[in-house]
Amino acid sequence: MARRPPTITLDSFDLGILAILQRDTTTPQRVIGEAVHLSAPAVQRRIRRMEEAGVIQAHVAVIDPALVGQSITIFVEVEVISETADLLDAAKRDFAAAPEVQQCYYVTGEADFVLVVVVPSMAAYESLTRRLFFNNPNVKRFRTFVAMDRVKVGLAVPLDEASGGSTVG
Amino acid sequence: MARRPPTITLDSFDLGILAILQRDTTTPQRVIGEAVHLSAPAVQRRIRRMEEAGVIQAHVAVIDPALVGQSITIFVEVEVISETADLLDAAKRDFAAAPEVQQCYYVTGEADFVLVVVVPSMAAYESLTRRLFFNNPNVKRFRTFVAMDRVKVGLAVPLDEASGGSTVG
DNA sequence: GTCTCGCACGAAAGAAACTTGCATCCGGAA
DNA sequence: TTCCGGATGCAAGTTTCTTTCGTGCGAGAC
C-alpha cells in the first residue's frame, strides 16, 4: 500500500504543468502543451510520472462548504498533557478519523495540534469538542477560533524557480 | 466576474457524486453513474449544474509541497491593532496576495487572522514575516507554529444526509 | 573522434471519455 | 383528466486521452 515513490527530477516543464494543474485539472493536455511548448503526449507522460512519484497526490474537486450545509469553519489549537509517541499517535488517529476535521497538523510552539474543522452549526461543533477533546484525557486544553471570512482557501503550493532542477523523492 | 450562482437543490444523488469527486476527479462519469445508480449523461448534467451553482468551485491537483522544495508548513496567528474595515481589507489583500500564504482566515477570538504558510526554508519564512508583518504597522503581534507532521491535509467537506434536500445558493 | 545506448520527444492511430440530441417518463397544476 | 416542466436513458457525434512507432539528442565507452 505504501510503496516508495521513485526519485525523479523536476524541470521547468514539470513546474509549468504543475502550476496549471493545481489551478485547474480540466485543462486539456493539448492546451497545457501549448502553454509549456510541449506536445500533448509529452505532457501526459510527465503528469503520469509525477503522479507515480507522489508529486501529484490527487485530483480533487473543491466544494463550497456553505453550499452543502457546512457553513462554519473553525480553527482549534489543542494542547496535550503527555507527548508520548503512543499518545500522540492515538491523538493523530482520532483527529484524522473525524470527517469534520478537514486538516490536522502536529506543531511546535504553544500548542501541539492545530485543526481546521468544518461543521454545519455551533451545536455540531460543541458535540465534536465533547467527542474529541473532553472525552480525551490527554487533552489539556484547546482554544477555538471561529472563521468569519475565508479570505483565501486552497492547497496551492508556491512553485518558484528554486524548485526546478533539483532531484526530489 | 462575480456572477450570482443560481439557486439549486441538492439531493442524495448529488451528494453521492460530490463525495466521489472531492476524493478523485479522475473517476469516469460511467463509474460514478454505477455508484449512484444513474447514467453517465445524468451524472455529467448534475456535475455541470453544481459547477454553475458554485457548489463545485474548482477541479485541482494536490501537490506534495515537500517534493517541490516547499518543505515547511507554518501556522501563523496574527493580531492587528485596528479593525477598521479599510485596514482589515488591506490586510486581507496583502495576505491573500502572497503566494506563500496557502490559506488565510479572518477569525474571532484571541487572534484576528490565521494563516497557513508554505515555504522552502526558515530563512524564507523570516523574509516573509518581515514583508507581511514587520512592514505592516497595523500588525500588533503574531505567533508562529511550525508543522512537524501534516497529519491530515485536504479540503474535503463532510457530506452527511443533513446536507440533502435543502435548497442552497 | 566515433559509436552506441538510453531517454524523451512528436506524429498518428486507436481507445476511451465526454457531450449533445432526442424520445420517454414522472409529478404537479389547471 | 390533461398539460407542462424537468430529468432520465439511449445512441450518435465530438473531443480528449492513450498507445505505438520512428526520430533525435546527449552521455559514456571504445
Side-chain angles (χ1 to χ4, degrees), chain A residues 15-62:
Chain A
L15 293 180
I17 295 171
L18 287 179
I20 294 174
L21 287 184
Q22 79 172 339
R23 260 193 340 108
D24 183 10
T25 311
T26 66
T27 312
Q29 295 170 353
R30 175 180 48 79
V31 175
I32 299 176
E34 292 167 3
V36 302
H37 303 297
L38 230 51
S39 70
V43 171
Q44 154 32 303
R45 282 186 285 258
R46 283 167 177 271
I47 292 175
R48 169 183 295 272
R49 198 160 49 92
M50 290 191 284
E51 286 171 348
E52 290 170 350
V55 176
I56 297 176
Q57 295 184 316
H59 299 262
V60 303
V62 179

Side-chain angles (χ1 to χ4, degrees), chain B residues 76-88:
Chain B
V76 193
E77 287 178 21
V78 181
E79 215 173 316
V80 298
I81 297 173
S82 165
E83 294 200 58
T84 310
D86 287 356
L87 289 173
L88 280 184

Side-chain angles (χ1 to χ4, degrees), chain A residues 25 59 77 106 110 143, chain B residues 25 59 77 106 110 143 148:
Chain A
T25 311
H59 299 262
E77 287 179 21
Y106 176 52
E110 302 171 41
R143 291 199 298 170
Chain B
T25 310
H59 298 262
E77 287 178 21
Y106 176 51
E110 303 171 42
R143 292 198 299 170
M148 291 182 288

Side-chain angles (χ1 to χ4, degrees), chain B residues 3-169:
Chain B
R3 67 179 175 289
R4 186 204 321 279
T7 297
I8 67 168
T9 301
L10 302 180
D11 59 18
S12 61
F13 288 114
D14 294 312
L15 293 180
I17 294 170
L18 286 178
I20 294 174
L21 287 184
Q22 79 172 339
R23 259 193 342 107
D24 183 11
T25 310
T26 67
T27 312
Q29 294 170 353
R30 175 181 50 79
V31 175
I32 299 176
E34 292 167 3
V36 301
H37 304 297
L38 229 52
S39 70
V43 170
Q44 128 88 337
R45 284 185 282 256
R46 283 167 177 271
I47 291 175
R48 168 182 295 274
R49 198 162 48 93
M50 291 191 284
E51 286 171 348
E52 290 170 350
V55 176
I56 297 176
Q57 296 185 316
H59 298 262
V60 303
V62 180
I63 298 175
D64 187 336
L67 294 189
V68 291
Q70 309 289 321
S71 48
I72 303 182
T73 300
I74 295 179
F75 272 80
V76 193
E77 287 178 21
V78 181
E79 215 173 316
V80 298
I81 297 173
S82 165
E83 294 200 58
T84 310
D86 287 356
L87 289 173
L88 280 184
D89 286 347
K92 289 180 185 180
R93 261 186 286 104
D94 288 347
F95 294 157
E100 300 94 333
V101 176
Q102 193 179 67
Q103 303 170 48
C104 170
Y105 300 81
Y106 176 51
V107 301
T108 67
E110 303 171 42
D112 298 306
F113 289 96
V114 178
L115 310 183
V116 179
V117 174
V118 175
V119 287
S121 65
M122 284 311 289
Y125 177 64
E126 199 270 336
S127 165
L128 182 71
T129 60
R130 231 174 310 139
R131 194 146 52 78
L132 283 186
F133 307 141
F134 292 119
N135 274 358
N136 186 334
N138 194 33
V139 169
K140 188 193 299 180
R141 67 203 261 310
F142 66 95
R143 292 198 299 170
T144 299
F145 302 82
V146 180
M148 291 182 288
D149 187 3
R150 307 184 349 140
V151 179
K152 185 179 186 179
V153 181
L155 294 176
V157 176
L159 296 173
D160 44 40
E161 292 310 319
S163 315
S166 66
T167 298
V168 297

Side-chain angles (χ1 to χ4, degrees), chain A residues 7 23 27 36 82-83 91 96 104 117 135-136 144 168:
Chain A
T7 297
R23 260 193 340 108
T27 312
V36 302
S82 165
E83 294 200 58
C104 170
V117 174
N135 273 358
N136 187 334
T144 299
V168 297

Side-chain angles (χ1 to χ4, degrees), chain A residues 83-121:
Chain A
E83 294 200 58
T84 312
D86 288 354
L87 289 173
L88 281 184
D89 286 347
K92 289 180 186 178
R93 262 185 286 104
D94 288 346
F95 294 157
E100 299 94 333
V101 176
Q102 191 178 69
Q103 303 171 47
C104 170
Y105 301 80
Y106 176 52
V107 301
T108 67
E110 302 171 41
D112 299 306
F113 289 96
V114 177
L115 310 183
V116 179
V117 174
V118 175
V119 287
S121 65

